[in-house]
Amino acid sequence: PPHRPLFGKHVLITAGPTHEPIDPVRYIANRSSGKQGFAIAAAAAQLGARVTLVSGPVTLPTPVGVDRVDVETARDMAEAVKRTLPVDVAIMVAAVADWRTQDVAAEKMKKRGSAPPALRLTENPDILAMVSVSDKRPKLVVGFAAETEKVIQHATEKRQRKGADWIVANDVSGDVMGGNINAVHIVTAQGVESLPEMPKDDVARALVERIADALVPPASS
Ligand code: C5P
């Protein structure tokens, strides 16, 4: 019989970048492809979970058996996440824009031969931190940390600061963002497990198996 240890569990995943509008035709974005988050959604569904995938703008097909909610901005993503709670597990993989423009121009901004416009930025909601302190907090809250230096130290601090149970840290100083390969360190209260470099699909499977084990500890006999 298929191994479905996440049957009966609802898993919420965020993935992809967010787009923060500047004017009707321009936006602030980042290099996130959504691949790692979509791979985790697919892996969780394969293990029997009910999966809600809240995705920023990406060009990926929806994995089989996954409910997908498309959003554009960080604030849209935060709303979609709030509406989806309560869940058993939240895995926040999205590369949420830290800042958005304070005011979105109603019309396309023009050059008009004058000085370039200054963008006034304001902070976006931190969705992971919000989920961690929610009165509907999932049993397991997993965040990601894309770091370019001192990867494990920064991830350990991020775990505490954001109130996540686990932080999956990856070194994005190479071509991880947009690529198919990832090397991650899973930082928990118990310590750090470093996985070798492998395809994002395999990272997804390894992570989701550990999540299943954490939710349903194997019976001792
Ligand atoms: O602080 P930093 O952006 O490095 O944190 C990364 C983690 O926090 C990821 O899990 C990401 O999905 C989540 N995050 C979020 N909302 C934000 C910023 C980050 O959920 N506004």
Side-chain angles (χ1 to χ4, degrees):
H3 181 57
R4 288 163 65 85
L6 289 177
F7 182 78
K9 304 295 183 190
H10 188 180
V11 178
L12 165 63
I13 297 163
T14 65
T18 63
H19 285 184
E20 309 298 332
I22 295 169
D23 71 12
V25 300
R26 301 186 178 95
Y27 55 83
I28 298 169
N30 61 63
R31 293 189 190 283
S32 171
S33 65
K35 281 176 191 165
Q36 186 63 79
F38 274 57
I40 291 166
Q46 273 164 22
L47 292 195
R50 171 184 167 202
V51 179
T52 302
L53 173 61
V54 178
S55 177
V58 299
T59 55
L60 299 171
T62 307
V64 172
V66 167
D67 292 325
R68 174 169 173 180
V69 180
D70 284 313
V71 297
E72 181 123 347
T73 67
R75 284 187 294 178
D76 296 341
M77 187 172 274
E79 282 309 309
V81 163
K82 270 187 210 161
R83 279 197 305 274
T84 306
L85 297 179
V87 298
D88 297 289
V89 182
I91 314 172
M92 309 280 94
V93 197
V96 181
D98 290 317
W99 305 284
R100 66 176 183 275
T101 56
Q102 194 163 312
D103 306 291
V104 179
E107 307 295 340
K108 185 182 172 193
M109 295 165 82
K110 297 292 187 194
K111 283 192 288 254
R112 281 201 195 102
S114 52
L119 297 179
R120 277 175 69 90
L121 300 181
T122 187
E123 208 163 308
N124 266 330
D126 189 315
I127 302 166
L128 172 59
M130 174 190 90
V131 166
S132 292
V133 300
S134 166
D135 50 9
K136 297 176 191 164
R137 189 187 193 282
K139 280 190 284 290
L140 188 65
V141 176
V142 181
F144 269 65
E147 305 287 353
T148 56
E149 45 139 15
K150 296 187 194 150
V151 175
I152 289 171
Q153 182 193 321
H154 286 156
T156 303
E157 288 162 7
K158 190 161 294 182
R159 196 185 81 83
Q160 307 247 335
R161 191 167 67 243
K162 300 225 189 193
D165 298 303
W166 299 0
I167 289 282
V168 181
N170 51 2
D171 186 336
V172 294
S173 57
D175 54 4
V176 162
M177 270 195 145
N180 291 310
I181 302 283
N182 206 355
V184 303
H185 313 269
I186 303 175
V187 179
T188 72
Q190 279 74 46
V192 182
E193 183 187 6
S194 297
L195 304 184
E197 193 173 82
M198 56 177 97
K200 287 182 176 176
D201 287 344
D202 294 350
V203 170
R205 241 185 313 274
L207 177 63
V208 164
E209 278 168 10
R210 282 159 183 72
I211 288 171
D213 288 347
L215 291 183
V216 191
S220 56
S221 61

